[in-house]
Amino acid sequence: MFFLSMVSIVKAQSINVSGIVTTGRFNTCGISPIITATFISGNGSMVQNGALACLNPNDSSLVELTFSNLRWDKSPNDNWLHAVYFLNGSGTGIRIIGSSFTTPNWIFMSSGCTGACPTGGQVQGGPGYYFDGTNQSYCCFYGNPAPDGNPCNNYGDSTAKCSNPYSISFLIKIRNFNISNSFVLRLRGSSDGNTGCWQTADQTFNSVTFQIAGIPCGASPVLCNPIATAVLTTGLIGPYQWQNSTDSVQFNNIVDNSNYTGTNSSSLNLSNISSNRYGEQFRCIANGITGQIFTLTFRNSWTGLINTDWNTAGNWSCNAVPDANTDVIINGGNVVLNSNATIRSITIRAPATLTTNTGVILTILH
């Protein structure tokens, strides 16, 4: 099975988990679950000091989450556990791939169902584990009571109770640009009382909320010409050495000078960077580990604060007229170009307009 082959990878490392909070039927047993997070793989990430560190925001990471000693209180009203899942569209930037549930008769659904039967569910579902036991009562669809792979046809797992701990593992894929200092996740549970199949509705919000430690990706700087300053920061642990590349291939160590300060610290300060350095890249080598790459860009947006004249510096966000190494953004207003100009690129969004007077040429290099 795919999951079993993944956990054998030597790179597996522990990620710190904190802030565990239970609600609803996960809480009333009075026993907190134990949650572990293990880094499985990721070309653009790694674990440093127990935190999942982003090295490339365009890559992703595989992490195994294991919940042990997870308790479900089916009283009152004998509401049996029906589903354990992560909510669809939660905005966490994760994708549940699968894993294992140590208790029999549970099936994994990558897209999830509603966590409830079609006849009247009260909760929204998502990817996770749903009960489809062979010896349980048939629920929403009357007729043949045999399990059919549809967990919405069952009451739920009657064995889930305070005295019977569960162990569940999930293999999740995290988009690296979503990694944060406190990456919060929430496991949800629904009972047959949520499904419309039981006489007593279960209005309880059942959840286990926790966070895994992370070191977020840094954003590449967007600069203004002619006054260009920026701060690049790495979350990795030093010692530090910042490097620069002009061709995206060869990186060379840099030292403090009129353009750089902090070349041997976690934060590199850039100053007096001219726009002809558009596209240059920087990275930090921290304790022998190569951090993420930052790429310089220059951008100038139209504000039209003074008039409609392109050549009036006060009409631009950088308080300067765009040059040949600048990406121009015009989101609104009417802009009039009265003399020849050269820029790197331009984006005009409706209802904005750009008018060039007769004989005037706007040269766009990219």
Side-chain angles (χ1 to χ4, degrees):
M1 187 169 66
F2 172 74
F3 169 70
L4 294 178
S5 65
M6 291 299 296
V7 296
S8 64
I9 294 177
V10 176
K11 290 179 64 176
Q13 300 174 71
S14 177
I15 303 170
N16 294 336
V17 176
S18 63
I20 301 174
V21 176
T22 57
T23 65
R25 297 182 180 276
F26 287 128
N27 179 63
T28 52
C29 291
I31 302 174
S32 296
I34 299 171
I35 305 175
T36 60
T38 304
F39 177 74
I40 302 300
S41 66
N43 293 327
S45 58
M46 62 168 292
V47 174
Q48 188 171 54
N49 285 7
L52 179 62
C54 173
L55 304 179
N56 181 356
N58 299 317
D59 210 324
S60 58
S61 307
L62 285 178
V63 173
E64 180 195 4
L65 297 175
T66 299
F67 299 79
S68 57
N69 203 33
L70 186 66
R71 314 276 178 144
W72 176 269
D73 188 0
K74 66 179 181 180
S75 63
N77 302 320
D78 206 26
N79 272 303
W80 298 348
L81 180 62
H82 184 88
V84 182
Y85 59 93
F86 289 90
L87 187 65
N88 271 324
S90 61
T92 58
I94 69 171
R95 181 163 64 92
I96 311 299
I97 297 176
S99 217
S100 64
F101 200 139
T102 58
T103 304
N105 303 323
W106 285 78
I107 63 174
F108 178 76
M109 299 180 69
S110 59
S111 59
C113 69
T114 61
C117 291
T119 56
Q122 299 168 9
V123 295
Q124 181 182 359
Y129 293 94
Y130 294 81
F131 189 73
D132 189 35
T134 57
N135 297 313
Q136 302 299 328
S137 300
Y138 205 66
C139 179
C140 293
F141 298 102
Y142 295 98
N144 180 9
D148 59 359
N150 185 346
C152 290
N153 295 349
N154 293 281
Y155 277 118
D157 189 352
S158 63
T159 68
K161 52 188 176 180
C162 289
S163 60
N164 185 24
Y166 277 80
S167 180
I168 312 170
S169 293
F170 293 89
L171 189 64
I172 69 173
K173 190 173 186 178
I174 303 174
R175 292 176 291 183
N176 288 348
F177 61 79
N178 283 296
I179 295 174
S180 65
N181 292 319
S182 56
F183 192 75
V184 178
L185 296 167
R186 177 176 289 122
L187 181 72
R188 294 195 178 190
S190 65
S191 71
D192 45 83
N194 299 126
T195 68
C197 303
W198 191 239
Q199 59 184 359
T200 304
D202 185 8
Q203 302 287 0
T204 307
F205 183 80
N206 312 298
S207 68
V208 180
T209 303
F210 59 101
Q211 65 184 45
I212 62 176
I215 299 174
C217 314
S220 288
V222 178
L223 306 177
C224 273
N225 184 65
I227 303 173
T229 62
V231 179
L232 311 181
T233 301
T234 179
L236 300 177
I237 307 301
Y240 306 97
Q241 176 59 65
W242 285 89
Q243 298 180 326
N244 168 252
S245 174
T246 58
D247 60 5
S248 302
V249 177
Q250 180 67 40
F251 282 83
N252 299 304
N253 292 347
I254 56 177
V255 298
D256 288 8
N257 56 28
S258 60
N259 296 131
Y260 314 131
T261 57
T263 54
N264 296 123
S265 70
S266 60
S267 294
L268 175 67
N269 297 283
L270 305 180
S271 59
N272 302 313
I273 305 295
S274 61
S275 65
N276 61 7
R277 299 183 65 176
Y278 188 111
E280 286 193 20
Q281 295 182 322
F282 294 84
R283 71 183 186 186
C284 184
I285 306 297
N287 199 25
I289 298 168
T290 301
Q292 75 174 93
I293 294 174
F294 300 88
T295 303
L296 301 184
T297 59
F298 286 78
R299 183 184 304 163
N300 205 347
S301 299
W302 175 261
T303 65
L305 292 177
I306 297 178
N307 51 40
T308 62
D309 182 19
W310 175 292
N311 289 311
T312 299
N315 284 325
W316 296 96
S317 61
C318 291
N319 200 33
V321 176
D323 68 359
N325 300 301
T326 300
D327 297 319
V328 172
I329 307 294
I330 303 176
N331 288 320
N334 302 312
V335 187
V336 178
L337 184 62
N338 295 307
S339 58
N340 294 346
T342 300
I343 57 176
R344 185 181 184 278
S345 71
I346 189 169
T347 300
I348 303 175
R349 297 186 176 94
T353 62
L354 172 62
T355 302
T356 58
N357 287 338
T358 303
V360 172
I361 300 174
L362 175 63
T363 302
I364 303 171
L365 301 178
H366 292 270

